[in-house]
Amino acid sequence: MKNDKSVCSATLELLEKTQAEDLSTAFSRADKLKPCNIGGEGVCCKMCAMGPCRLPKAQQDKGQTGVCGATADTIAARNFLRMIAGGAASHSDHGREVAQVFLAMARGESKDYQIKDEAKLMKLAAELEIPTEGRTVQEIAVDLGEMMLAEFGRQEGELCFIKRAAEKRQELWRELGVVPRGIDREVVETMHRTHMGVDQDVRSLLLQGARASLADGWGGSMIGTELQDVMFGTPVPLRSKVNLGVLKEDQVNVIVHGHEPILSEMLVVAGRDPEILKAAKAKGASGINIAGICCTANEVLMRHGVPIAGNMLQQELAIVTGAVEAMVVDVQCVMQSLPEIAKCYHTKVISTSSKARITGATHMQFDEHHALDSAKKIMLEAVNNFPNRKGKTNIPAASTDLIAGFSHETINYMLGGRFRGSFRPLNDNIINGRIRGVAGVVGCNNPRGPHDAVHLAMVKELIKNDVLVLQTGCSAIACAKEGLLLPDAAKEYAGEGLAEVCETVGIPPVLHMGSCVDNSRILTAATEMVREGGLGDDISDLPVAGAAPEWMSEKAIAIGQYFVSSGVFTLFGVNWPTTGSEEVTRFLFEEMEEIFKGKWAFEPDPIKAAQRMIEHIDEKRKALGIDKARERVLFDMDMRREAQAG
Ligand code: SF4
Ligand code: MSK
């Protein structure tokens, strides 16, 4: 296997081992399995049994349509919408699960969970007009849980967090008729409209896609983030470590993988239980080491400092170390290959969600009403597996320090101070040009390109040009492995203006804001920037951009669309799923801007992509009349350098 598969040394080291042992991984399978061009371009329809109908350009040029008469444009738009629906459904079902557990906790039916951030509960109650006077915390929490749960099945009106958006944005959404009514309703309607013989108009379809995406970003995902914060604590900055080197030779290694923190929070508690630790020692281990993969990793990192073993493409490789007693998974981004690769080692793959049964895995249903008991049973399963390790382990040495935990509340506090928390200093530094703009770089890994390389090149180019980077998901893990989530990275990689701000405030130039559902934190932070003043009156006025340079998941498309629908220029790498239809691609890349003042773009080269994002940021600076300020700052810096040289 060539060395161009990844830029992560631990990944390369273990890939060599898989090659020597002829083990199949996502990397080797991607090499063997060429993607289907027609499906990749979005012009294969299998919505009914008269098809599948495939309409590549040559067929389109002959005037060919699907058997039902559907054009390639309709097919591409429908396929794009179904990706949004899949992504929105996944995030939102995560949010629903959290809301259900939250309500059970508030009602006293799930005693192992508690309210960890009462201040945030009260803030949400005030925002949502839930009465608090003379009521207990539990009563208020029950109202909040019921209200949030009702958002999923709401049939009319507007989702309540829509009111968080800037006034101008809300008005635009209302004019366009894209304010989501209920989360489930928008997902269902999207599936209905894309059924054979229903909505056949590209604009009408794509506007419904926007509506469903907003139901995710300002609905399901936001509910997930907010209730998780109340129940598990709002993240604050903390130190930890990342990469497969966090696994420990002499301890029971338990990997938590997937997305919902409901189980992993309890596993963290169970891992500290004296009885479980005693059992581990009795089996010859010196302790229990929990580490995360994917967004579950981000959740428990942000709140407990639990180290991260790796991102999406490292899940199989964690097992290849031979040091993992159990990989405990719930939902999303869990590869079906895990039990197969685990057969070569002693690792137990333990599935825990009734929604995600995995052939070959050990299923231990997690019961949130008896959460700690469930978690302890899973932990004991891992402990009992410790003596079964087969021979020498292969834990790579690589592990890097990181700082995570930048919720929007934390950014507010760090920049403004405890008693005058505010985004003012951020806005001021954007206005005076020390910070050129802000970019959200998020999303997955994809073996169709070099693992982590695209994230790193893009993020380094952005911070070099004084763009502050906000991150979530597997992208944040990639940058953490490179040391970009440390304050020292500002000196090494950031432009002078950004470095100066980071050094003054003591923050890294790349801020880890959490998991996939926590992209809603980026929406909130952007809205706070608008509210703070001086940078226009809508997210679309801000000098900001978004990107998912190594995306693979439908969730990434849903996230990208809710950023675009919220007014953000959003750029994806790897490939673009509608290239088979000029009309749909033009609509997404150009007309969306006229409608939403945000648009999609595609650029697989990370440097060119970063430059396009910077160009966009500069255009916004110009429109705000703050481009001159930036020139002055650069001039001042040059003068300072000259003076120093002299
Ligand atoms: Fe073909 Fe139309 Fe059926 Fe799609 S819905 S498979 S285009 S006949
Ligand atoms: S885990 S959705 S690979 S970011 Fe959220 Fe990573 Fe993408 Fe899954």
Side-chain angles (χ1 to χ4, degrees), residues 164-169 218 423-424 426-427 430 523-544 566:
R164 286 185 166 184
E167 287 291 333
K168 203 171 158 189
R169 181 66 26 190
W218 298 84
F423 274 71
R424 190 72 253 155
L426 175 62
N427 283 23
I430 291 173
L523 290 178
T524 309
T527 306
E528 291 282 325
M529 286 166 69
V530 173
R531 216 155 266 145
E532 193 56 51
L535 292 173
D537 50 13
D538 181 37
I539 290 184
S540 62
D541 296 328
L542 297 172
V544 302
S566 300

Side-chain angles (χ1 to χ4, degrees), residues 259 294-295 312 333 443-445 473-474 516 552-553 555:
H259 276 77
C294 280
C295 280
M312 203 275 293
C333 305
C444 322
N445 294 139
C474 291
C516 293
M552 64 88 198
S553 153
K555 292 180 289 171

